[in-house]
Amino acid sequence: MQNVVILQARKWFSRSLSSFSSNPLKVCVVGSGPAGFYTAEKMLKAHQQAQVDIIDRLPTPFGLVRSGVAPDHPETKIVINQFSRVAQHEQCSFLGNVTLGSSISLSELRKLYHVVVLAYGAESDRSLGIPGESLKGIHSAREFVWWYNGHPDGRNLDPDLKNTDAAVILGQGNVALDVARILLRPTAELATTDIANYALAALEESSIRKVYLVGRRGPAQAACTAKELREILGIRNVDISIQEVDLRLTPADEEELKSNRIKRRVHELLSKAAAKPRTAGLNQRELHFVFFRKPDSFQESEDRTGHVSGVHFEKTVLKGDGPGKQIAIGTGEFEDIKCGLVLKSIGYKSVPVDGLPFDYKKGIVPNFRGRVLSDTSGDPTLLEEGLYVCGWLKRGPTGIVATNLHCAEETVLSISEDIEKGMLISSAALPKPGREGLLQLLQDRDVRIVSFSDWEKIDSEEKRLGSSRNKPREKLSTWDELHKAALE
Amino acid sequence: MLSSRLPRLGPWIAKRLFTRNYASIYRGRYNQSTRNSFLQPPAFQQLSLNKLYNGAMIGKHNFLSTTSNEGNEQKETISVTFVDKDGEEQHIRVPVGMSMLEAAHENDIELEGACEGSLACSTCHVIVMDVEYYNKLEDPTDEENDMLDLAFGLSETSRLGCQVIAKPELDGIRLAIPAATRNFAVDGYVPKPH
């Protein structure tokens, strides 16, 4: 009987969260990319009285939509309109320039809000762990993308595009195709995009004429998708080189293609391109698709110490009979590709923060449908109360913008279920300081918050600068410039 | 003097009507169909007209039917039923020439449209519930197929809502909005490319 009373009391308290305006649900979303914004949008829809604050360490919102999507893909950025409407919602606030871990700790946030959703993505890289990886001229694709997209942390990358005529890209996913395309596209076409001006200048002086997209396995395992592949195969003045022998399919490959529409179409596109006669010499630039090559080590230049001069590859074959389970095994035969620039596009990796359980093997926060688990044992009953994840931090660094839509729906559903079941009781019974508490704490620490209307000042300034150069915007890419435009 | 100007005037007028009609209809439609919109979509103002042709919310068909219906006040409408993830039905009337995405937004039906009809996403994915109606649609272009590749809950009769344009033969069409969470199993989850 006592249990029933307690259960009823819990349910009443928790329902009081949403239905009484004296104790509105206070939610903090960490990260303002697609995962963060879709979460905020779905929370506001599911809980009409909730107050949602979105914090981001940058003064600019939108995460990878702003700093990841390539400059020549403006349509993919249109979703920013939808996210802006969310930020402008009466009960939502964007708070830029607030860094989890330095401006405020995770435990402090959890005291201020009933619900904290971590959606800060993956700002680090997987590494190969092979000799020579720290030579100059080797960068992660993530850094290179940040560089040409004007991210303030990527601005000083200063990749050397003038010392060589060849670049090797490790990986064959859409990010790899993006960086290849930016290196190969005629710069006149890039000049009217929102590419960072210093990157455009560097590309205009680039001596790179050959780009190699190298994968450990075969075309049936390439992670890119049809649209991006079709696009890069059609770039003006670029010769495509694909070995027809590489396109032969194993029985397991056939199985993989049979059940996967994307891979089928990718293979078709590659086959068509391989069959086309090469117009060698007429085109200025070359794109080579190289398969079945695993990087073994990076070679150091004899003329320029400390600088990469090539990649030493081991040829591979596929082993394993299950479709989707074929792995690349080294054959003991080796081959070199000479180059002065290497871009590793082998996957992003999330970064843990203090007080956050982390699965280092998978590079994600252990969770069950978005509910953060206390450890990596997988026991779904060991929950961190009031703490949730969404996006790459939850699923790993895969998927497109829209993948986060569904990811957010799942996380928000988990939150709603937990509120309904009275599981947020110990933190939820009392009203929480929420935004007022956060603003006070940040003020005490002299953190200058960038609000959404401050971001709109940056936005207008970028558009104004862009309009005189026939660009949609000219990105402000240093911390100083951004702060100046936002806060003065 | 007038007579020498007239021959040039005709094409000049047609051209202005052509481009301004297109652009103003485009913007007008957008404003109508977006709930809670605060601003005009800035991205569109930068997109060249060519890009608009390729992926516009209105689409090639609508453009043609718009100019041919120029001057008609009363647009012919067809009956469309949307079935949401919970099986709830919503019956609406859609003017000929309007895309299903626009129609959904104008009627507060929950169909996402992240790229606002520019063939750069798959969030307006709908399933045509009756194969006879599916067959009445023109084949998807390569661009639409590229986006359908990435759609959640893809079926044999899936299309992008922004590319299905109302025409008289589609009267009575039923469109299901796919249940997203079906593909979101924790176990056996296949990572999607990006």
Side-chain angles (χ1 to χ4, degrees), chain A residues 400-403 405-406, chain B residues 111-115 119-126 144-154 159-162 178:
Chain A
I400 52 176
V401 172
T403 316
L405 206 166
H406 309 297
Chain B
L111 187 61
E112 294 268 353
C115 77
L119 275 180
C121 77
S122 57
T123 59
C124 68
H125 168 216
V126 290
E144 184 181 348
N145 270 326
D146 286 347
M147 292 303 111
L148 278 171
D149 280 352
L150 308 166
F152 285 81
L154 189 66
R159 291 299 299 264
L160 294 185
C162 64

PDB file of all heavy atoms in Angstrom, chain A residues 400-403 405-406, chain B residues 111-115 119-126 144-154 159-162 178:
ATOM      1  N   ILE A 400      23.482  11.309 -41.800  1.00  0.00           N
ATOM      2  CA  ILE A 400      23.350  12.620 -42.433  1.00  0.00           C
ATOM      3  C   ILE A 400      22.594  13.538 -41.474  1.00  0.00           C
ATOM      4  O   ILE A 400      22.238  13.125 -40.374  1.00  0.00           O
ATOM      5  CB  ILE A 400      22.595  12.518 -43.780  1.00  0.00           C
ATOM      6  CG1 ILE A 400      21.262  11.763 -43.578  1.00  0.00           C
ATOM      7  CG2 ILE A 400      23.457  11.799 -44.801  1.00  0.00           C
ATOM      8  CD1 ILE A 400      20.403  11.708 -44.834  1.00  0.00           C
ATOM      9  N   VAL A 401      22.344  14.768 -41.913  1.00  0.00           N
ATOM     10  CA  VAL A 401      21.617  15.719 -41.076  1.00  0.00           C
ATOM     11  C   VAL A 401      20.305  15.095 -40.588  1.00  0.00           C
ATOM     12  O   VAL A 401      19.987  15.128 -39.402  1.00  0.00           O
ATOM     13  CB  VAL A 401      21.316  17.022 -41.856  1.00  0.00           C
ATOM     14  CG1 VAL A 401      20.387  17.929 -41.070  1.00  0.00           C
ATOM     15  CG2 VAL A 401      22.611  17.747 -42.174  1.00  0.00           C
ATOM     16  N   ALA A 402      19.586  14.482 -41.514  1.00  0.00           N
ATOM     17  CA  ALA A 402      18.256  13.945 -41.184  1.00  0.00           C
ATOM     18  C   ALA A 402      18.307  12.780 -40.208  1.00  0.00           C
ATOM     19  O   ALA A 402      17.328  12.510 -39.512  1.00  0.00           O
ATOM     20  CB  ALA A 402      17.540  13.512 -42.462  1.00  0.00           C
ATOM     21  N   THR A 403      19.431  12.104 -40.141  1.00  0.00           N
ATOM     22  CA  THR A 403      19.542  10.988 -39.189  1.00  0.00           C
ATOM     23  C   THR A 403      19.290  11.498 -37.776  1.00  0.00           C
ATOM     24  O   THR A 403      18.729  10.800 -36.929  1.00  0.00           O
ATOM     25  CB  THR A 403      20.945  10.356 -39.254  1.00  0.00           C
ATOM     26  OG1 THR A 403      21.336  10.191 -40.605  1.00  0.00           O
ATOM     27  CG2 THR A 403      20.960   9.001 -38.564  1.00  0.00           C
ATOM     28  N   LEU A 405      17.273  13.762 -36.868  1.00  0.00           N
ATOM     29  CA  LEU A 405      15.843  13.982 -36.667  1.00  0.00           C
ATOM     30  C   LEU A 405      15.273  12.790 -35.905  1.00  0.00           C
ATOM     31  O   LEU A 405      14.594  12.925 -34.884  1.00  0.00           O
ATOM     32  CB  LEU A 405      15.188  14.066 -38.043  1.00  0.00           C
ATOM     33  CG  LEU A 405      13.905  14.832 -38.260  1.00  0.00           C
ATOM     34  CD1 LEU A 405      13.707  15.010 -39.766  1.00  0.00           C
ATOM     35  CD2 LEU A 405      12.727  14.090 -37.709  1.00  0.00           C
ATOM     36  N   HIS A 406      15.582  11.624 -36.419  1.00  0.00           N
ATOM     37  CA  HIS A 406      15.039  10.406 -35.813  1.00  0.00           C
ATOM     38  C   HIS A 406      15.726  10.100 -34.490  1.00  0.00           C
ATOM     39  O   HIS A 406      15.109   9.613 -33.547  1.00  0.00           O
ATOM     40  CB  HIS A 406      15.190   9.248 -36.802  1.00  0.00           C
ATOM     41  CG  HIS A 406      14.650   9.593 -38.153  1.00  0.00           C
ATOM     42  ND1 HIS A 406      13.328   9.873 -38.371  1.00  0.00           N
ATOM     43  CD2 HIS A 406      15.265   9.766 -39.347  1.00  0.00           C
ATOM     44  CE1 HIS A 406      13.144  10.185 -39.639  1.00  0.00           C
ATOM     45  NE2 HIS A 406      14.299  10.125 -40.261  1.00  0.00           N
TER      46      HIS A 406
ATOM     47  N   LEU B 111       4.876  16.925 -41.831  1.00  0.00           N
ATOM     48  CA  LEU B 111       5.834  16.344 -42.765  1.00  0.00           C
ATOM     49  C   LEU B 111       7.063  17.238 -42.732  1.00  0.00           C
ATOM     50  O   LEU B 111       6.976  18.434 -42.996  1.00  0.00           O
ATOM     51  CB  LEU B 111       5.228  16.300 -44.176  1.00  0.00           C
ATOM     52  CG  LEU B 111       6.030  15.559 -45.251  1.00  0.00           C
ATOM     53  CD1 LEU B 111       6.213  14.099 -44.896  1.00  0.00           C
ATOM     54  CD2 LEU B 111       5.328  15.684 -46.605  1.00  0.00           C
ATOM     55  N   GLU B 112       8.203  16.665 -42.383  1.00  0.00           N
ATOM     56  CA  GLU B 112       9.425  17.465 -42.306  1.00  0.00           C
ATOM     57  C   GLU B 112       9.868  17.871 -43.708  1.00  0.00           C
ATOM     58  O   GLU B 112       9.616  17.149 -44.678  1.00  0.00           O
ATOM     59  CB  GLU B 112      10.552  16.642 -41.669  1.00  0.00           C
ATOM     60  CG  GLU B 112      10.327  16.271 -40.229  1.00  0.00           C
ATOM     61  CD  GLU B 112      10.918  17.284 -39.246  1.00  0.00           C
ATOM     62  OE1 GLU B 112      11.617  18.206 -39.672  1.00  0.00           O
ATOM     63  OE2 GLU B 112      10.657  17.114 -38.046  1.00  0.00           O
ATOM     64  N   GLY B 113      10.586  18.982 -43.774  1.00  0.00           N
ATOM     65  CA  GLY B 113      11.099  19.408 -45.076  1.00  0.00           C
ATOM     66  C   GLY B 113      12.365  20.198 -44.863  1.00  0.00           C
ATOM     67  O   GLY B 113      12.411  21.400 -45.108  1.00  0.00           O
ATOM     68  N   ALA B 114      13.403  19.510 -44.427  1.00  0.00           N
ATOM     69  CA  ALA B 114      14.616  20.206 -43.993  1.00  0.00           C
ATOM     70  C   ALA B 114      15.212  21.098 -45.078  1.00  0.00           C
ATOM     71  O   ALA B 114      15.620  22.215 -44.801  1.00  0.00           O
ATOM     72  CB  ALA B 114      15.669  19.208 -43.510  1.00  0.00           C
ATOM     73  N   CYS B 115      15.255  20.608 -46.336  1.00  0.00           N
ATOM     74  CA  CYS B 115      15.897  21.412 -47.372  1.00  0.00           C
ATOM     75  C   CYS B 115      14.872  22.231 -48.145  1.00  0.00           C
ATOM     76  O   CYS B 115      15.204  22.859 -49.144  1.00  0.00           O
ATOM     77  CB  CYS B 115      16.701  20.539 -48.337  1.00  0.00           C
ATOM     78  SG  CYS B 115      15.676  19.669 -49.536  1.00  0.00           S
ATOM     79  N   LEU B 119      15.681  19.082 -53.088  1.00  0.00           N
ATOM     80  CA  LEU B 119      16.268  17.780 -53.422  1.00  0.00           C
ATOM     81  C   LEU B 119      17.625  17.587 -52.748  1.00  0.00           C
ATOM     82  O   LEU B 119      18.539  17.014 -53.332  1.00  0.00           O
ATOM     83  CB  LEU B 119      16.419  17.620 -54.941  1.00  0.00           C
ATOM     84  CG  LEU B 119      15.190  17.110 -55.681  1.00  0.00           C
ATOM     85  CD1 LEU B 119      15.463  17.003 -57.170  1.00  0.00           C
ATOM     86  CD2 LEU B 119      14.750  15.758 -55.151  1.00  0.00           C
ATOM     87  N   ALA B 120      17.731  18.069 -51.518  1.00  0.00           N
ATOM     88  CA  ALA B 120      18.996  17.891 -50.803  1.00  0.00           C
ATOM     89  C   ALA B 120      18.802  17.118 -49.505  1.00  0.00           C
ATOM     90  O   ALA B 120      19.688  17.103 -48.674  1.00  0.00           O
ATOM     91  CB  ALA B 120      19.634  19.253 -50.508  1.00  0.00           C
ATOM     92  N   CYS B 121      17.627  16.504 -49.327  1.00  0.00           N
ATOM     93  CA  CYS B 121      17.412  15.694 -48.137  1.00  0.00           C
ATOM     94  C   CYS B 121      16.330  14.673 -48.436  1.00  0.00           C
ATOM     95  O   CYS B 121      15.855  14.592 -49.566  1.00  0.00           O
ATOM     96  CB  CYS B 121      17.022  16.555 -46.924  1.00  0.00           C
ATOM     97  SG  CYS B 121      15.306  17.127 -46.892  1.00  0.00           S
ATOM     98  N   SER B 122      15.957  13.897 -47.459  1.00  0.00           N
ATOM     99  CA  SER B 122      14.912  12.898 -47.693  1.00  0.00           C
ATOM    100  C   SER B 122      13.834  12.992 -46.631  1.00  0.00           C
ATOM    101  O   SER B 122      13.057  12.067 -46.441  1.00  0.00           O
ATOM    102  CB  SER B 122      15.534  11.496 -47.664  1.00  0.00           C
ATOM    103  OG  SER B 122      16.187  11.297 -46.421  1.00  0.00           O
ATOM    104  N   THR B 123      13.776  14.124 -45.949  1.00  0.00           N
ATOM    105  CA  THR B 123      12.867  14.193 -44.809  1.00  0.00           C
ATOM    106  C   THR B 123      11.402  14.311 -45.190  1.00  0.00           C
ATOM    107  O   THR B 123      10.529  14.105 -44.353  1.00  0.00           O
ATOM    108  CB  THR B 123      13.235  15.374 -43.877  1.00  0.00           C
ATOM    109  OG1 THR B 123      13.173  16.602 -44.614  1.00  0.00           O
ATOM    110  CG2 THR B 123      14.642  15.220 -43.325  1.00  0.00           C
ATOM    111  N   CYS B 124      11.090  14.610 -46.453  1.00  0.00           N
ATOM    112  CA  CYS B 124       9.676  14.707 -46.834  1.00  0.00           C
ATOM    113  C   CYS B 124       9.206  13.394 -47.480  1.00  0.00           C
ATOM    114  O   CYS B 124       8.199  13.366 -48.184  1.00  0.00           O
ATOM    115  CB  CYS B 124       9.441  15.877 -47.774  1.00  0.00           C
ATOM    116  SG  CYS B 124      10.184  15.655 -49.404  1.00  0.00           S
ATOM    117  N   HIS B 125       9.923  12.349 -47.204  1.00  0.00           N
ATOM    118  CA  HIS B 125       9.628  11.017 -47.735  1.00  0.00           C
ATOM    119  C   HIS B 125       8.201  10.584 -47.414  1.00  0.00           C
ATOM    120  O   HIS B 125       7.762  10.641 -46.260  1.00  0.00           O
ATOM    121  CB  HIS B 125      10.648  10.050 -47.122  1.00  0.00           C
ATOM    122  CG  HIS B 125      10.345   8.606 -47.322  1.00  0.00           C
ATOM    123  ND1 HIS B 125      10.615   7.650 -46.362  1.00  0.00           N
ATOM    124  CD2 HIS B 125       9.803   7.929 -48.369  1.00  0.00           C
ATOM    125  CE1 HIS B 125      10.265   6.462 -46.815  1.00  0.00           C
ATOM    126  NE2 HIS B 125       9.780   6.601 -48.020  1.00  0.00           N
ATOM    127  N   VAL B 126       7.447  10.198 -48.442  1.00  0.00           N
ATOM    128  CA  VAL B 126       6.096   9.660 -48.258  1.00  0.00           C
ATOM    129  C   VAL B 126       5.977   8.337 -48.998  1.00  0.00           C
ATOM    130  O   VAL B 126       6.693   8.099 -49.972  1.00  0.00           O
ATOM    131  CB  VAL B 126       4.997  10.622 -48.779  1.00  0.00           C
ATOM    132  CG1 VAL B 126       4.890  11.852 -47.897  1.00  0.00           C
ATOM    133  CG2 VAL B 126       5.226  11.007 -50.222  1.00  0.00           C
ATOM    134  N   GLU B 144      16.380  12.671 -57.413  1.00  0.00           N
ATOM    135  CA  GLU B 144      15.426  12.232 -56.393  1.00  0.00           C
ATOM    136  C   GLU B 144      15.810  10.848 -55.876  1.00  0.00           C
ATOM    137  O   GLU B 144      15.778  10.592 -54.674  1.00  0.00           O
ATOM    138  CB  GLU B 144      13.989  12.211 -56.943  1.00  0.00           C
ATOM    139  CG  GLU B 144      12.984  11.838 -55.836  1.00  0.00           C
ATOM    140  CD  GLU B 144      11.540  11.766 -56.298  1.00  0.00           C
ATOM    141  OE1 GLU B 144      11.248  12.231 -57.429  1.00  0.00           O
ATOM    142  OE2 GLU B 144      10.708  11.259 -55.535  1.00  0.00           O
ATOM    143  N   ASN B 145      16.222   9.975 -56.788  1.00  0.00           N
ATOM    144  CA  ASN B 145      16.635   8.630 -56.370  1.00  0.00           C
ATOM    145  C   ASN B 145      17.810   8.675 -55.410  1.00  0.00           C
ATOM    146  O   ASN B 145      17.888   7.900 -54.456  1.00  0.00           O
ATOM    147  CB  ASN B 145      16.989   7.772 -57.586  1.00  0.00           C
ATOM    148  CG  ASN B 145      15.776   7.019 -58.113  1.00  0.00           C
ATOM    149  OD1 ASN B 145      14.907   6.613 -57.346  1.00  0.00           O
ATOM    150  ND2 ASN B 145      15.719   6.832 -59.415  1.00  0.00           N
ATOM    151  N   ASP B 146      18.749   9.592 -55.654  1.00  0.00           N
ATOM    152  CA  ASP B 146      19.897   9.739 -54.756  1.00  0.00           C
ATOM    153  C   ASP B 146      19.423  10.051 -53.341  1.00  0.00           C
ATOM    154  O   ASP B 146      19.993   9.576 -52.366  1.00  0.00           O
ATOM    155  CB  ASP B 146      20.822  10.878 -55.236  1.00  0.00           C
ATOM    156  CG  ASP B 146      21.630  10.482 -56.464  1.00  0.00           C
ATOM    157  OD1 ASP B 146      21.663   9.280 -56.800  1.00  0.00           O
ATOM    158  OD2 ASP B 146      22.224  11.390 -57.084  1.00  0.00           O
ATOM    159  N   MET B 147      18.413  10.898 -53.229  1.00  0.00           N
ATOM    160  CA  MET B 147      17.903  11.265 -51.904  1.00  0.00           C
ATOM    161  C   MET B 147      17.045  10.147 -51.324  1.00  0.00           C
ATOM    162  O   MET B 147      17.091   9.878 -50.130  1.00  0.00           O
ATOM    163  CB  MET B 147      17.090  12.562 -51.972  1.00  0.00           C
ATOM    164  CG  MET B 147      17.932  13.786 -52.282  1.00  0.00           C
ATOM    165  SD  MET B 147      19.265  14.036 -51.085  1.00  0.00           S
ATOM    166  CE  MET B 147      20.682  13.674 -52.096  1.00  0.00           C
ATOM    167  N   LEU B 148      16.271   9.480 -52.165  1.00  0.00           N
ATOM    168  CA  LEU B 148      15.446   8.362 -51.674  1.00  0.00           C
ATOM    169  C   LEU B 148      16.316   7.256 -51.092  1.00  0.00           C
ATOM    170  O   LEU B 148      15.935   6.583 -50.146  1.00  0.00           O
ATOM    171  CB  LEU B 148      14.576   7.799 -52.806  1.00  0.00           C
ATOM    172  CG  LEU B 148      13.291   8.564 -53.075  1.00  0.00           C
ATOM    173  CD1 LEU B 148      12.622   8.050 -54.341  1.00  0.00           C
ATOM    174  CD2 LEU B 148      12.322   8.468 -51.899  1.00  0.00           C
ATOM    175  N   ASP B 149      17.511   7.095 -51.671  1.00  0.00           N
ATOM    176  CA  ASP B 149      18.475   6.114 -51.140  1.00  0.00           C
ATOM    177  C   ASP B 149      18.620   6.246 -49.630  1.00  0.00           C
ATOM    178  O   ASP B 149      18.860   5.281 -48.931  1.00  0.00           O
ATOM    179  CB  ASP B 149      19.878   6.363 -51.730  1.00  0.00           C
ATOM    180  CG  ASP B 149      20.044   5.804 -53.124  1.00  0.00           C
ATOM    181  OD1 ASP B 149      19.141   5.089 -53.596  1.00  0.00           O
ATOM    182  OD2 ASP B 149      21.087   6.090 -53.744  1.00  0.00           O
ATOM    183  N   LEU B 150      18.561   7.502 -49.150  1.00  0.00           N
ATOM    184  CA  LEU B 150      18.873   7.774 -47.747  1.00  0.00           C
ATOM    185  C   LEU B 150      17.625   7.825 -46.873  1.00  0.00           C
ATOM    186  O   LEU B 150      17.722   8.068 -45.678  1.00  0.00           O
ATOM    187  CB  LEU B 150      19.601   9.121 -47.644  1.00  0.00           C
ATOM    188  CG  LEU B 150      20.815   9.269 -48.569  1.00  0.00           C
ATOM    189  CD1 LEU B 150      21.253  10.721 -48.638  1.00  0.00           C
ATOM    190  CD2 LEU B 150      21.962   8.419 -48.051  1.00  0.00           C
ATOM    191  N   ALA B 151      16.463   7.609 -47.471  1.00  0.00           N
ATOM    192  CA  ALA B 151      15.226   7.784 -46.694  1.00  0.00           C
ATOM    193  C   ALA B 151      15.027   6.637 -45.715  1.00  0.00           C
ATOM    194  O   ALA B 151      15.331   5.489 -46.017  1.00  0.00           O
ATOM    195  CB  ALA B 151      14.025   7.884 -47.629  1.00  0.00           C
ATOM    196  N   PHE B 152      14.489   6.958 -44.564  1.00  0.00           N
ATOM    197  CA  PHE B 152      14.169   5.942 -43.563  1.00  0.00           C
ATOM    198  C   PHE B 152      12.886   5.235 -43.945  1.00  0.00           C
ATOM    199  O   PHE B 152      11.926   5.860 -44.343  1.00  0.00           O
ATOM    200  CB  PHE B 152      14.009   6.606 -42.186  1.00  0.00           C
ATOM    201  CG  PHE B 152      15.329   6.984 -41.593  1.00  0.00           C
ATOM    202  CD1 PHE B 152      15.978   8.133 -41.971  1.00  0.00           C
ATOM    203  CD2 PHE B 152      15.939   6.158 -40.664  1.00  0.00           C
ATOM    204  CE1 PHE B 152      17.213   8.463 -41.439  1.00  0.00           C
ATOM    205  CE2 PHE B 152      17.171   6.488 -40.108  1.00  0.00           C
ATOM    206  CZ  PHE B 152      17.808   7.643 -40.507  1.00  0.00           C
ATOM    207  N   GLY B 153      12.888   3.926 -43.778  1.00  0.00           N
ATOM    208  CA  GLY B 153      11.670   3.175 -44.058  1.00  0.00           C
ATOM    209  C   GLY B 153      11.334   3.157 -45.534  1.00  0.00           C
ATOM    210  O   GLY B 153      10.171   3.127 -45.922  1.00  0.00           O
ATOM    211  N   LEU B 154      12.380   3.150 -46.382  1.00  0.00           N
ATOM    212  CA  LEU B 154      12.164   3.176 -47.828  1.00  0.00           C
ATOM    213  C   LEU B 154      11.374   1.959 -48.280  1.00  0.00           C
ATOM    214  O   LEU B 154      11.607   0.843 -47.841  1.00  0.00           O
ATOM    215  CB  LEU B 154      13.518   3.199 -48.546  1.00  0.00           C
ATOM    216  CG  LEU B 154      13.459   3.446 -50.044  1.00  0.00           C
ATOM    217  CD1 LEU B 154      12.959   4.852 -50.322  1.00  0.00           C
ATOM    218  CD2 LEU B 154      14.829   3.233 -50.663  1.00  0.00           C
ATOM    219  N   ARG B 159       8.266   7.981 -52.423  1.00  0.00           N
ATOM    220  CA  ARG B 159       8.652   9.159 -53.208  1.00  0.00           C
ATOM    221  C   ARG B 159       8.944  10.285 -52.240  1.00  0.00           C
ATOM    222  O   ARG B 159       8.554  10.238 -51.069  1.00  0.00           O
ATOM    223  CB  ARG B 159       7.504   9.589 -54.159  1.00  0.00           C
ATOM    224  CG  ARG B 159       7.220   8.651 -55.300  1.00  0.00           C
ATOM    225  CD  ARG B 159       8.418   8.468 -56.251  1.00  0.00           C
ATOM    226  NE  ARG B 159       8.827   9.717 -56.885  1.00  0.00           N
ATOM    227  CZ  ARG B 159       8.428  10.103 -58.103  1.00  0.00           C
ATOM    228  NH1 ARG B 159       7.625   9.342 -58.821  1.00  0.00           N
ATOM    229  NH2 ARG B 159       8.858  11.228 -58.611  1.00  0.00           N
ATOM    230  N   LEU B 160       9.589  11.329 -52.747  1.00  0.00           N
ATOM    231  CA  LEU B 160       9.778  12.537 -51.942  1.00  0.00           C
ATOM    232  C   LEU B 160       8.547  13.417 -52.136  1.00  0.00           C
ATOM    233  O   LEU B 160       8.133  13.682 -53.267  1.00  0.00           O
ATOM    234  CB  LEU B 160      11.028  13.289 -52.387  1.00  0.00           C
ATOM    235  CG  LEU B 160      12.358  12.583 -52.145  1.00  0.00           C
ATOM    236  CD1 LEU B 160      13.513  13.491 -52.531  1.00  0.00           C
ATOM    237  CD2 LEU B 160      12.506  12.147 -50.687  1.00  0.00           C
ATOM    238  N   GLY B 161       7.993  13.872 -51.004  1.00  0.00           N
ATOM    239  CA  GLY B 161       6.774  14.685 -51.063  1.00  0.00           C
ATOM    240  C   GLY B 161       6.932  15.955 -51.872  1.00  0.00           C
ATOM    241  O   GLY B 161       5.969  16.441 -52.469  1.00  0.00           O
ATOM    242  N   CYS B 162       8.137  16.490 -51.909  1.00  0.00           N
ATOM    243  CA  CYS B 162       8.327  17.743 -52.643  1.00  0.00           C
ATOM    244  C   CYS B 162       8.355  17.516 -54.151  1.00  0.00           C
ATOM    245  O   CYS B 162       8.319  18.471 -54.921  1.00  0.00           O
ATOM    246  CB  CYS B 162       9.610  18.439 -52.209  1.00  0.00           C
ATOM    247  SG  CYS B 162      11.119  17.517 -52.591  1.00  0.00           S
ATOM    248  N   PRO B 178       6.102   7.778 -43.180  1.00  0.00           N
ATOM    249  CA  PRO B 178       6.713   6.586 -42.589  1.00  0.00           C
ATOM    250  C   PRO B 178       6.998   6.751 -41.103  1.00  0.00           C
ATOM    251  O   PRO B 178       7.323   7.830 -40.643  1.00  0.00           O
ATOM    252  CB  PRO B 178       8.030   6.422 -43.350  1.00  0.00           C
ATOM    253  CG  PRO B 178       8.046   7.459 -44.386  1.00  0.00           C
ATOM    254  CD  PRO B 178       6.969   8.431 -44.146  1.00  0.00           C
TER     255      PRO B 178
END
